[in-house]
Amino acid sequence: MPKSPASRLEIALAQANPTVGDIDANVAKLVDMRAQAREKGADLVVFPELFITGYPPEDLVLKPAFQAAARQRVEALAAELGEGPAVITGTVWPEGGKVYNAVALLDAGKVAAVRFKADLPNYGVFDEKRVFAQGPLPEPIDFRGLKLAVPVCEDIWGSEVSSHLAALGAQMLLVPNGSPFDWTKPGVRHRISQARVKETGLPLIYVNQVGGQDELVFDGASFILNADGSEPVRLPAWEEAVTVSSWHRSEAGWVCAKGEVAARESDDAAAYQACVLGLRDYVEKNGFPGVIIGLSGGIDSSLVAAMAVDALGPERVHGVMLPYRYTSSESVRDADALAKALGLRYQTVPIEAAVAGITAALAPALAGTEPDSTEENIQARARGIILMALSNKFGGMVVTTGNKSEMSVGYATLYGDMNGGYNPIKDLYKMEVYRLSAWRNAHLPKGALGPAGVVIPEAVLTKVPSAELRANQTDQDTLPPYPELDDILSCLVEKEMPLADIVARGHAPGTVKKIERMLYLAEYKRRQAPPGVKISSKNFGRDRRYPIVNKFRETIEPGAGRGKKGVT
């Protein structure tokens, strides 16, 4: 006699942090989190997209050995799990000479069902059509008499897949995700999910990955929506969690009982946490013992040092002040104060002798020329050599500290201050750096390993920005004021606005043209820059892929922007 359909279910959301390529470690984590869910009475545990392999695996997917390892491990895992809650997990799945982004239901000692992702994203940071075959429109999965729809991430960003599943009698949308963070993404996810709920009349479980993978950071922040649009469960962002949700079948369909609803954080809090988690996971997953940071006494290196201490603890952060004749006493004072406030390891290595040696070696070749940026860049490159030598000797990774404003216009020195393995503020404009620095002084982030209170000296936030490569130098000798520069860059990079429209915001045509030229010319530098956390809707690298050789320049018609008001 067939079993009657379940009227109650306990479904666990496993918000987990996988490591790309480490299939055994990911499986061990799955087993552990399933055990936690079992203790809480779960009938089913749901893991994120491609959890078995880690996400995104990129061109690893094209490697036959990788494909086979993923499928074989999932099939073995199904037999190993034995009694207890069923598992739905994402995995790479080769079948019929093709490779799919798949989800598998593991139940009763076997792989009970497999479904393939139908809508493969191919924009921004995503290029899944490059490595995966498109799956057919999926059918629901029968589980305990419940028809589960399991669309994968992008499958719910349009209506086709969800509507198809609803038409086949699905009773619940269960969505594994690998959705990376940016400033706007949490709100966008909710709007998209609410739209699918409204269209189908079905409740939705959204399980997202957490953790850092190269430039991408995943915030987790998984949630559940009932069919009426209410949100009975929301998991905290930026941490792993196993949360069991309680469901009952009503005359109108399945309903989730009220559970944990984590508070939403501010944009600045989220951005800071993204930078910290991205740096932490890059260091930990690559096996570095710690990090090395050149401390200049300026705002950028100060914020990066605070993030590094919050991510790794002060004992794993080595700050180095590298003074030269143009380094002000105020900068030395501020770097000292920062190091004391954060409690990090700190030392001073003057670069006078190194610069003198390089200058002497170049003297015959440069005879008869006037000093210019060549000599200034020798200072930056001497600092880079010293930091990399410390990295080679002691194993710590050099962290780069250039912000998005500087990287946009090439205000950085190749093989100098661009040396390093990772940059947590690479996608933050200068004014955002100031804002997050002030935020950190006023807040101790959740999970931070650094101290509470003011850690970035107030003088750092109020001093005039300067690279200090020559006497009385300021950034504004060659750049517009940062509020103006950042607005122009945001229009050019994130919004791809016509130059005339940027001028209409109140910017001088000559300034806009100058910044456009600097932006294009600096592409060769950005190609050689270390990776860094993606925060914005369009970061350099994965999102924005401009050619290095590029002769296109936009024209501004005479009179553009006349009569317009100032920058908004």
Side-chain angles (χ1 to χ4, degrees):
M1 189 172 178
K3 281 186 177 181
S4 59
S7 60
R8 292 186 175 275
L9 281 174
E10 303 291 306
I11 302 177
L13 287 68
Q15 182 170 286
N17 184 350
T19 299
V20 166
D22 199 345
I23 293 174
D24 288 341
N26 295 338
V27 167
K29 181 167 287 191
L30 181 151
V31 170
D32 178 67
M33 297 182 90
R34 177 181 180 264
Q36 296 177 46
R38 182 177 186 173
E39 290 180 3
K40 298 176 182 180
D43 300 299
L44 175 65
V45 190
V46 186
F47 286 83
E49 177 179 11
L50 291 179
F51 178 74
I52 296 297
T53 56
Y55 184 81
E58 302 188 73
D59 281 8
L60 268 176
V61 175
L62 301 177
K63 193 172 185 66
F66 182 71
Q67 302 165 16
R71 177 164 178 167
Q72 290 165 9
R73 194 64 190 89
V74 170
E75 291 173 335
L77 175 64
E80 294 165 6
L81 289 178
E83 296 297 319
V87 166
I88 287 179
T89 185
T91 184
V92 169
W93 193 266
E95 185 167 297
K98 297 180 179 180
V99 187
Y100 297 95
N101 182 334
V103 287
L105 171 64
L106 313 183
D107 191 20
K110 63 182 180 180
V111 179
V114 178
R115 296 292 184 269
F116 303 141
K117 188 174 183 178
D119 192 351
L120 301 175
N122 213 54
Y123 58 87
V125 302
F126 307 107
D127 53 6
E128 291 191 25
K129 290 182 180 178
R130 171 186 170 87
V131 295
F132 288 116
Q134 181 179 9
L137 287 173
E139 296 183 357
I141 296 173
D142 185 72
F143 178 74
R144 311 286 196 269
L146 165 64
K147 284 193 170 184
L148 284 175
V150 193
V152 180
C153 200
E154 190 76 13
D155 283 341
I156 69 165
W157 285 64
S159 61
E160 182 181 17
V161 176
S162 299
S163 297
H164 168 79
L165 286 159
L168 293 178
Q171 297 165 284
M172 182 186 300
L173 296 169
L174 199 160
V175 192
N177 292 270
S179 179
F181 172 82
D182 66 42
W183 290 103
T184 64
K185 190 64 71 66
V188 173
R189 289 187 202 124
H190 274 77
R191 289 194 294 274
I192 293 293
S193 298
Q194 289 281 7
R196 301 294 85 81
V197 167
K198 186 175 181 180
E199 289 166 1
T200 63
L202 301 177
L204 181 149
I205 300 177
Y206 189 104
V207 181
N208 195 26
Q209 176 175 318
V210 67
Q213 172 58 28
D214 297 344
E215 301 100 321
L216 302 182
V217 181
F218 301 85
D219 51 322
S222 305
F223 59 88
I224 293 174
L225 298 176
N226 273 320
D228 62 2
S230 62
E231 188 178 16
V233 173
R234 187 190 317 131
L235 274 61
W238 312 114
E239 62 185 63
E240 292 189 307
V242 177
T243 296
V244 175
S245 58
S246 297
W247 293 79
H248 69 274
R249 189 196 298 264
S250 71
E251 291 184 4
W254 285 88
V255 179
C256 181
K258 184 76 172 175
E260 171 195 7
V261 180
R264 287 193 174 94
E265 58 198 346
S266 70
D267 287 349
D268 288 347
Y272 190 92
Q273 290 281 14
C275 294
V276 168
L277 181 56
L279 176 60
R280 176 188 297 136
D281 273 5
Y282 194 83
V283 170
E284 300 289 14
K285 292 178 180 181
N286 282 301
F288 291 107
V291 297
I292 299 169
I293 304 172
L295 298 181
S296 67
I299 189 72
D300 299 316
S301 64
S302 295
L303 178 60
V304 169
M307 289 174 170
V309 169
D310 285 341
L312 305 170
E315 69 282 356
R316 297 178 67 188
V317 180
H318 180 185
V320 186
M321 166 49 99
L322 300 144
Y324 188 57
R325 64 185 65 168
Y326 302 124
T327 303
S328 68
S329 58
E330 290 80 10
S331 291
V332 173
R333 176 202 66 198
D334 294 340
D336 289 349
L338 173 83
K340 288 185 175 67
L342 291 170
L344 53 79
R345 179 186 171 196
Y346 180 64
Q347 68 181 127
T348 299
V349 180
I351 67 168
E352 188 80 36
V355 173
I358 296 170
T359 302
L362 283 169
L366 302 183
T369 64
E370 293 298 319
D372 55 17
S373 61
T374 303
E375 286 74 17
E376 294 177 15
N377 289 337
I378 288 171
Q379 299 167 51
R381 291 183 174 122
R383 292 184 172 111
I385 289 171
I386 291 168
L387 292 174
M388 291 307 300
L390 292 171
S391 174
N392 292 159
K393 182 63 70 176
F394 300 110
M397 180 190 73
V398 175
V399 179
T400 315
T401 63
N403 60 67
K404 191 172 187 176
S405 305
E406 295 170 350
M407 293 309 302
S408 295
V409 297
Y411 199 68
T413 304
L414 277 173
Y415 326 119
D417 55 324
M418 289 177 64
N419 278 5
Y422 200 74
N423 182 355
I425 65 167
K426 182 179 180 178
D427 203 26
L428 291 174
Y429 287 116
K430 187 75 167 187
M431 297 311 296
E432 293 168 347
V433 169
Y434 278 106
R435 203 170 76 228
L436 291 195
S437 297
W439 181 89
R440 176 57 180 90
N441 276 350
H443 302 84
L444 180 63
K446 178 179 65 175
L449 301 179
V454 174
V455 293
I456 299 175
E458 184 64 27
V460 173
L461 279 79
T462 57
K463 71 169 65 173
V464 176
S466 172
E468 295 191 328
L469 297 176
R470 62 176 181 269
N472 303 313
Q473 181 185 25
T474 72
D475 291 2
Q476 271 57 68
D477 293 343
T478 53
L479 299 174
Y482 279 113
E484 181 181 1
L485 176 62
D486 287 358
D487 186 72
I488 294 172
L489 289 172
S490 176
C491 293
L492 287 170
V493 176
E494 279 85 2
K495 301 169 187 172
E496 295 283 6
M497 286 174 59
L499 298 193
D501 290 354
I502 303 175
V503 171
R505 292 171 65 84
H507 299 293
T511 301
V512 174
K513 285 294 295 179
K514 174 185 176 182
I515 300 306
E516 179 205 37
R517 179 178 181 275
M518 295 175 78
L519 175 67
Y520 286 158
L521 290 179
E523 185 63 37
Y524 80 100
K525 288 187 178 182
R526 291 191 290 271
R527 293 287 186 95
Q528 300 180 64
V533 176
K534 170 181 161 63
I535 294 292
S536 71
S537 60
K538 188 176 286 188
N539 75 331
F540 290 123
R542 281 182 172 269
D543 279 321
R544 188 180 185 277
R545 308 177 193 183
Y546 266 60
I548 297 174
V549 177
N550 171 20
K551 293 295 185 181
F552 177 79
R553 298 294 184 270
E554 192 175 342
T555 58
I556 304 176
E557 295 300 323
R562 257 183 214 161
K564 302 293 183 179
K565 298 199 175 172
V567 173
T568 59

